[in-house]
Amino acid sequence: MRTLVFDTPAEASQKAFELVRESLENGSTTFGLATGSTPEKLYELIVASDLDFSQASSINLDEYYGLTKQDSQSYAYFMKKHLISHKPFKNVYIPDGEAQDIDAELARYDKIIEENPIDLQILGIGNNGHIGFNEPPADFNGRTQFIDLDQSTIEANARLFDSIDEVPTKALTMGIKSIMDSKKIILMAFGEEKARAVQKLIEGPVDPMVPASVLQNHPDVVVLLDKASAQFLA
Ligand code: GLP
C-alpha cells in the first residue's frame, strides 16, 4: 500500500481527484464508488471538472436496507445529490435497498460486478475498520452480502439522522472479494475518529476483525490521509 498524508482533507481530496482523472484518461470505464462524508469533496471536484463519464459505469459499494430510493438518507439519494445528477454516467448501479427477494438481489449485484470489472474503487473506512458495510469479522472471500450493521456503525452514522432509532439496522454491501478484485483502489480517511482504524489498516496484521486490513494483500492501493487520521502511524 502507498500511503500519502496531507495537511487537510481538501488536499487529500484533490490528490484523489487527480488519480481519478488519470484513471479515466488511461481508459478506465468502471468506477466503484463510496458514500459517506469522506468522498463528498472528491465528488464536488469531479462535478466542477470537465471530466466526461458519459461512457463510464459506476458501481456503488453499499445501500441501507429498508429505505426507499427517495429517502434522503438512502445512498441512492446521496449519489444522485452529490454526483450523478450533475455528472452523467452511462450506467449507475446501486444495491436495491427495497428488494423483497434478497437472494435474487445479491445474485443480480454479483452479476453486475462480474460483467463490469471495476477499474478503480473508491473507499472510505468505518471507525471499526469496515469497508463498504463489511463489518467485523469480515468474510474475505465474500461477494455481495446482506448484513446486520454493527452497533458502533449505527452510532457513528446516527449523526446523519434525526435520531438513532431511524438508522437502519441492515444493509446490502459489495463483498470483500469483489472489492479486492478491483484493479486499483483509493482509500480515503479523514479526522481523528478514524486514526485507530487507519493505524490497524496500515500497521496491524491482516485480520477479519479489521476488514480493511485485507487491502495489505492488494497490489495497487493508495491510502490518502489527513494529519488527524494519520496521527498514530509510526
Ligand atoms: C459508512 C459507509 C462506508 C463509509 C464509511 C465511513 O457507513 N457504509 O462506505 O466508507 O461508513 O463513512 P464516512 O465517510 O461518513 O466517515
Side-chain angles (χ1 to χ4, degrees):
M1 286 194 295
R2 196 153 65 96
T3 304
L4 302 173
V5 182
F6 297 83
D7 283 341
T8 62
E11 287 167 60
S13 302
Q14 182 63 40
K15 178 67 184 179
F17 171 74
E18 281 156 22
L19 293 172
V20 170
R21 180 172 56 198
E22 201 177 284
S23 176
L24 187 66
E25 286 171 357
N26 288 339
S28 289
T29 55
T30 305
F31 294 83
L33 299 180
T35 49
S37 317
T38 309
E40 276 185 27
K41 182 72 190 169
L42 167 62
Y43 297 154
E44 233 178 73
L45 292 168
I46 290 174
V47 166
S49 76
D50 58 2
L51 296 189
D52 179 7
F53 289 88
S54 62
Q55 298 309 309
S57 297
S58 68
I59 303 187
N60 259 79
L61 278 171
D62 49 15
E63 177 61 285
Y64 286 122
Y65 186 68
L67 301 182
T68 66
K69 292 175 189 59
Q70 295 74 34
D71 191 302
S72 62
Q73 298 292 355
S74 76
Y75 288 167
Y77 184 94
F78 175 102
M79 291 311 295
K80 233 186 202 166
K81 178 176 170 195
H82 292 282
L83 186 65
I84 304 300
S85 62
H86 315 282
K87 187 61 82 178
F89 280 68
K90 187 173 178 190
N91 301 297
V92 174
Y93 302 110
I94 301 178
D96 180 3
E98 298 175 80
Q100 294 303 309
D101 184 341
I102 300 287
D103 287 342
E105 177 57 15
L106 302 181
R108 181 189 77 92
Y109 215 63
D110 281 343
K111 188 154 181 277
I112 288 168
I113 297 166
E114 197 187 320
E115 287 173 353
N116 299 273
I118 296 172
D119 294 304
L120 177 63
Q121 175 68 55
I122 305 294
L123 291 178
I125 185 170
N127 298 358
N128 64 355
H130 73 216
I131 46 177
F133 268 137
N134 292 280
E135 302 281 31
D139 175 4
F140 287 165
N141 290 313
R143 297 290 178 182
T144 308
Q145 319 254 308
F146 182 51
I147 55 92
D148 290 315
L149 293 172
D150 253 20
Q151 188 55 29
S152 68
T153 299
I154 292 171
E155 283 163 17
N157 289 0
R159 72 185 196 282
L160 304 167
F161 290 77
D162 288 338
S163 98
I164 193 163
D165 302 333
E166 289 178 23
V167 185
T169 57
K170 292 178 181 293
L172 300 162
T173 184
M174 187 187 292
I176 296 275
K177 189 98 175 102
S178 303
I179 293 172
M180 289 295 281
D181 282 347
S182 310
K183 290 192 195 101
K184 184 180 181 76
I185 296 174
I186 298 172
L187 184 146
M188 292 184 282
F190 308 139
E192 62 182 336
E193 61 283 359
K194 299 289 170 71
R196 285 294 171 203
V198 164
Q199 184 188 30
K200 290 179 191 161
L201 153 72
I202 293 171
E203 296 176 353
V206 174
D207 178 353
M209 292 312 290
V210 184
S213 65
V214 73
L215 298 173
Q216 292 177 26
N217 294 335
H218 190 283
D220 191 357
V221 178
V222 183
V223 180
L224 303 177
L225 306 174
D226 68 343
K227 277 185 170 162
S229 65
Q231 63 184 284
F232 297 130
L233 294 181

